[in-house]
Amino acid sequence: MSTGTEQSTGAQRDGREVSRLESFIDAMIDIGQTGQIFGEHGIGKTATFFTHIGRAHPGTALVYVPAANLTPDDLLVNAPVRDPHSGELVLRQLVMSQLKPGTPFVLLIDDSLQAGDTIQSQLMQIACNWTLGEHDLRALGCVGVFLTDNESLSETSARRGDLALLDRMVTMRITANDTSWRRHLAVKYRPWDLNPVFAVWASLSPALRELLSPRTLDHLLANAKEGFPLSWGLPLIDGERLRLAEPGPDGRPGQNRTAEILDRVAEALGVPNPTTIPDPVRQVVRAALRNRWTVLLQGPPGCGKTELVRETVRAGLGREPLYFSLPVTNVEDLCAPIPSPDGTLDNLLAANFTGPGPKAIVWDEYNRPKDRAAFAKLMEITQEWSLAGRRIENLKAQIAVQNPPYHLGRKLLVSRNNIAQATRFTASLTVEPEDIPANEWLLARYGADAETVLEWWKHDIDDDGRAWITKRTLERLVKLHRKGLPLEMATVYLGDGEYAPVPLTALIDRFKGRPVTGLRELARDADLWAARLRRAAEHTDEGGDDSDVVHQILANAELSQLKKHRAVVARMVALLPAKLRATYLVGASAQQQRFWTDIFTGMARR
């Protein structure tokens, strides 16, 4: 069983212990050997290079190359250039500009097993000879070459089995105890004492520690710091939240210990672990802008996710977000390699990525990429906040929005991901339609017609029906009603003349003026309903059918409707049983809570 204290080589530098990986890096640089490092995802392999090279080797740059994101022409390409002596165009091999930083550098090729066949051949030359094409990396200033990855075939596309290549490298397998992740988290989350959290992690079995990697633990802490559910720090893999469960004898997951372990982490921190929070989408997008997070939002189609994200980013950033819809995004929309005057291969970034102004990116339809090349470039941005090795200046947040693999029993055409990709997001939310305050937008835009369809949606159909009627569908219902067209055409068409299985008779009746009871009708007949509530109160403190009707109307009403009929709302609430009144604050947004608090305060004064 691992302990909560960090395992190290015992070596000391500047009064602190040096991890096993840090010592290995120093040794490979000293003897000029290629270092190959294998270890589980999320244990701090890459982060160790970024922190250690700058601290232990001043004046030496770290050139980071994410191999999974490379295309064949990124590292080396033949291109026509003007010969400075003859003035003629000649064909030369150009290397990527990062390999000529003008200073001694260490080359780190990350996710090296995830590169394609052509890239693997180029990596073999680098690893064996420290050359690339006609270029000697040592002459360019290279003092160290390292390749890192996880050997799991679920996360990689190749096995490195060529003895000619393996004979040129020194290979080390590491675990989480061989990096300095505890020390870095302790610094990052001051003034928390994280030793109790590390003790919880160390008490878990190896299988659970692998699932709850240091990177994922970092995300739990980030969400806990914001008062969010700790479960948001667990990744979404193929649309499902990661379960902290040990494998059984048959290899299948055993008992789900997720809730227990997250509660133990929260207890160790001395913070609550809520199951949900009001207005989750807006809150997590605002946190992303404050903290420079990458966030994943997954929810059913048509619920208004993307529009709410763009609106929230616009309000927090003071400008429009950079928006990319992945089904129509090409590599050339992000960057393109071009020969540069100094004889290197440079990359031009899309204009939107340049400039000093604050930026936030919305990746829409994240799990529907047009092609693998575009998604590979995208992965670099979400992982390292860089594009073609160039940092994107003043990038504040990245929000990825996607649909689940299945909805309403039907499979959606989305791609799969693995745990290494999924754990790149600080917060991963599953968004429900009720989490998107699109109703207020509908009311503001379409007035009484929107009120009619919302009353129908809330009162006249069941949960299955509401799942089929998205906010996008509600808007179409209003538009078709105004044009006098059949409302059925606004629902989802399933093929062969079949539409979504939702009865529209009650909605048609409402539009035709059938007597119904909503907040409008309640306000119109306020004296009648007040008398009914008084009669109910005379018989029991629990209320009656009339009390339940009024309570349901108030609970389902939008904030703008409540404010519009504030006097009537205050009058009715005072006549409802106390147990019903208490429910209005549960799970309400901050604005709703303020409204109801003012109502209750006014009751107390009276």
Side-chain angles (χ1 to χ4, degrees), residues 287-360:
L289 290 168
R290 285 195 303 271
N291 302 311
R292 201 168 179 262
W293 283 2
T294 304
V295 169
L296 175 65
L297 302 177
Q298 176 179 284
C303 67
K305 305 180 297 298
T306 304
E307 287 308 312
L308 182 60
V309 167
R310 296 179 73 170
E311 170 195 305
T312 308
V313 170
R314 190 183 306 120
L317 199 65
R319 63 193 303 179
E320 289 288 337
L322 309 183
Y323 174 82
F324 294 90
S325 178
L326 268 294
V328 294
T329 297
N330 301 300
V331 173
E332 293 77 13
D333 297 327
L334 305 175
C335 65
I338 61 165
S340 64
D342 65 355
T344 60
L345 188 65
D346 206 351
N347 271 277
L348 281 183
L349 302 189
N352 290 342
F353 293 123
T354 61
K359 305 172 188 68

Side-chain angles (χ1 to χ4, degrees), residues 351-402:
N352 290 342
F353 293 123
T354 61
K359 305 172 188 68
I361 303 175
V362 175
W363 304 110
D364 200 11
E365 305 289 359
Y366 178 74
N367 54 355
R368 299 176 188 261
K370 183 176 182 180
D371 55 47
R372 293 184 62 182
F375 192 68
K377 290 298 183 187
L378 171 65
M379 287 301 296
E380 179 189 353
I381 305 177
T382 55
Q383 291 174 23
E384 303 301 332
W385 298 68
S386 67
L387 182 56
R390 293 174 54 182
R391 307 298 290 181
I392 300 174
E393 188 177 358
N394 210 2
L395 180 56
K396 300 292 188 181
Q398 300 183 64
I399 317 295
V401 184
Q402 69 180 31

Side-chain angles (χ1 to χ4, degrees), residues 470-488:
T470 66
K471 304 303 168 67
R472 190 182 291 153
T473 304
L474 291 175
E475 184 180 19
R476 287 200 301 270
L477 285 168
V478 172
K479 289 181 174 181
L480 265 62
H481 163 70
R482 290 184 171 184
K483 291 296 184 180
L485 296 173
L487 298 185
E488 184 183 49

Side-chain angles (χ1 to χ4, degrees), residues 562-585:
L562 294 171
K563 289 180 176 179
K564 181 178 179 180
H565 302 289
R566 182 187 183 94
V568 173
V569 170
R571 183 180 177 187
M572 297 300 157
V573 165
L575 298 172
L576 290 177
K579 69 173 186 177
L580 296 180
R581 294 199 296 264
T583 64
Y584 299 140
L585 295 173

Side-chain angles (χ1 to χ4, degrees), residues 515-575:
V516 293
T517 303
L519 190 52
R520 271 187 308 186
E521 292 73 28
L522 185 69
R524 189 177 58 213
D525 300 322
D527 292 339
L528 174 62
W529 281 102
R532 289 181 177 179
L533 294 180
R534 289 193 189 95
R535 283 197 298 271
E538 290 172 359
H539 291 88
T540 175
D541 292 338
E542 298 295 315
D545 291 342
D546 291 326
S547 305
D548 290 341
V549 170
V550 173
H551 165 65
Q552 202 63 42
I553 290 171
L554 297 181
N556 287 333
E558 302 301 323
L559 183 59
S560 62
Q561 295 173 293
L562 294 171
K563 289 180 176 179
K564 181 178 179 180
H565 302 289
R566 182 187 183 94
V568 173
V569 170
R571 183 180 177 187
M572 297 300 157
V573 165
L575 298 172

Side-chain angles (χ1 to χ4, degrees), residues 128-188:
C128 290
N129 305 318
W130 290 28
T131 61
L132 182 59
E134 64 185 32
H135 298 275
D136 184 340
L137 297 185
R138 289 183 175 87
L140 299 179
C142 184
V143 297
V145 173
F146 295 89
L147 295 83
T148 63
D149 212 329
N150 183 347
E151 285 187 285
S152 170
L153 287 176
S154 65
E155 299 177 21
T156 61
S157 60
R159 282 279 191 187
R160 190 167 288 126
D162 189 328
L163 293 179
L165 173 59
L166 295 175
D167 189 44
R168 305 296 183 97
M169 298 185 290
V170 180
T171 302
M172 180 175 72
R173 289 181 56 87
I174 63 173
T175 69
N177 285 325
D178 298 319
T179 65
S180 302
W181 64 271
R182 295 175 183 83
R183 184 173 71 235
H184 294 301
L185 289 186
V187 171
K188 182 176 181 179

